């Protein structure tokens, strides 16, 4: 059976605009930069999790303090590729908890709060606690997630921030979740 010129033209007329649209789509997701929270093993650099973080989202690390056995939390924002410690909250004073008031302080809803800290970190390392500490991660208005959902008990986890392309984020997230 012979294909006539008109049939070839219809196929080409459909294929070229579709190819152009796909190219523009991939170019856009390669150029759009987003803030990401990266959690990885500090010894192997293996990615454990990666999250998209909106501009105004707070990132909370929430756990039970090992000595005082009360809830403690540290709250960060991502800015200029760094984690900025904004505030610390704790329920009691004692060993291992802040005593010097070099930051602003308030007592709010039963919590002691150090705020306007604004200390930048390239990365912070936590160890997954599952006996007492039960470390949890909270980003923005999303539900808390246990560290044990993506790591082993007592495993070291390095948290860092990075601005990356949407394409790179999607690629890494796909490979982590496989």
């Amino acid at each position: 059976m012979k294909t006539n010129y008109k049939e070839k033209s219809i196929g080409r007329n459909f294929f070229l605009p579709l190819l152009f649209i796909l190219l523009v789509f991939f170019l856009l997701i390669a150029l759009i930069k987003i803030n990401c929270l990266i959690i990885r093993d500090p010894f192997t650099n293996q990615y454990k999790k990666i999250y998209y973080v909106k501009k105004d989202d707070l990132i909370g690390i929430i756990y039970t303090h090992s000595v005082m056995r009360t809830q403690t939390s540290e709250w960060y924002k991502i800015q200029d590729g760094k984690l900025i410690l904004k505030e610390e909250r704790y329920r009691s004073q004692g060993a291992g908890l802040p005593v010097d008031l070099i930051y602003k302080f308030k007592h709010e809803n039963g919590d002691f709060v150090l705020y306007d800290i604004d200390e930048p970190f390239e990365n912070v390392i936590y160890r997954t606690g599952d006996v007492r500490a039960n470390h949890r991660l909270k980003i923005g208005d999303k539900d808390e997630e246990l560290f044990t959902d993506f790591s082993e008990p007592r495993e070291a986890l390095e948290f860092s921030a990075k601005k990356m392309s949407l394409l790179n984020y999607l690629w890494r997230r796909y490979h982590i979740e496989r």
Side-chain angles (χ1 to χ4, degrees):
M1 177 185 225
K2 258 184 162 177
T3 306
N4 65 30
Y5 176 74
K6 196 172 190 179
E7 288 174 353
K8 285 182 182 178
S9 175
I10 290 171
R12 197 176 305 125
N13 287 344
F14 176 75
F15 179 73
L16 288 175
L18 180 62
L19 181 62
F20 177 75
I21 289 169
L22 285 172
L23 265 161
V24 167
F25 172 74
F26 277 104
L27 184 63
L28 282 175
I29 65 171
L31 292 176
I32 294 172
K33 300 286 188 183
I34 60 172
N35 285 322
C36 295
L37 175 67
I38 298 166
I39 304 171
R40 63 178 148 207
D41 181 315
F43 305 109
T44 66
N45 282 330
Q46 175 189 5
Y47 278 61
K48 296 292 189 170
K49 278 298 232 189
I50 186 168
Y51 297 92
Y52 161 63
V53 179
K54 296 177 198 163
K55 181 184 175 198
D56 293 325
D57 280 350
L58 283 173
I59 301 163
I61 308 296
I62 305 159
Y63 56 95
T64 301
H65 191 275
S66 62
V67 175
M68 300 311 294
R69 298 187 180 169
T70 56
Q71 183 170 290
T72 302
S73 60
E74 293 149 3
W75 297 88
Y76 300 86
K77 273 194 167 190
I78 292 180
Q79 184 179 323
D80 300 325
K82 291 187 169 100
L83 291 169
I84 310 297
L85 179 60
K86 301 302 281 180
E87 130 180 340
E88 292 181 357
R89 293 178 166 264
Y90 47 97
R91 295 258 161 97
S92 61
Q93 289 184 301
L97 293 170
V99 292
D100 295 333
L101 292 180
I102 58 174
Y103 305 110
K104 293 180 182 173
F105 172 82
K106 64 184 173 184
H107 192 257
E108 178 180 87
N109 298 325
D111 286 339
F112 297 99
V113 182
L114 298 175
Y115 64 101
D116 286 347
I117 297 173
D118 295 327
E119 287 287 333
F121 293 89
E122 294 290 328
N123 57 57
V124 291
I125 296 179
Y126 291 91
R127 285 217 179 253
T128 300
D130 73 330
V131 175
R132 180 172 296 130
N134 293 318
H135 285 86
R136 299 170 314 279
L137 173 67
K138 179 157 179 59
I139 300 174
D141 57 0
K142 296 176 188 162
D143 290 337
E144 292 180 5
E145 184 176 2
L146 286 167
F147 280 22
T148 53
D149 289 348
F150 53 83
S151 65
E152 297 299 317
R154 294 175 298 288
E155 182 177 6
L157 297 172
E158 177 186 274
F159 289 69
S160 61
K162 183 175 183 180
K163 201 168 211 55
M164 67 173 54
S165 74
L166 181 57
L167 182 62
N168 189 3
Y169 164 76
L170 293 171
W171 178 260
R172 288 184 185 273
R173 186 159 178 141
Y174 169 76
H175 285 284
I176 291 169
E177 293 178 0
R178 280 186 4 169

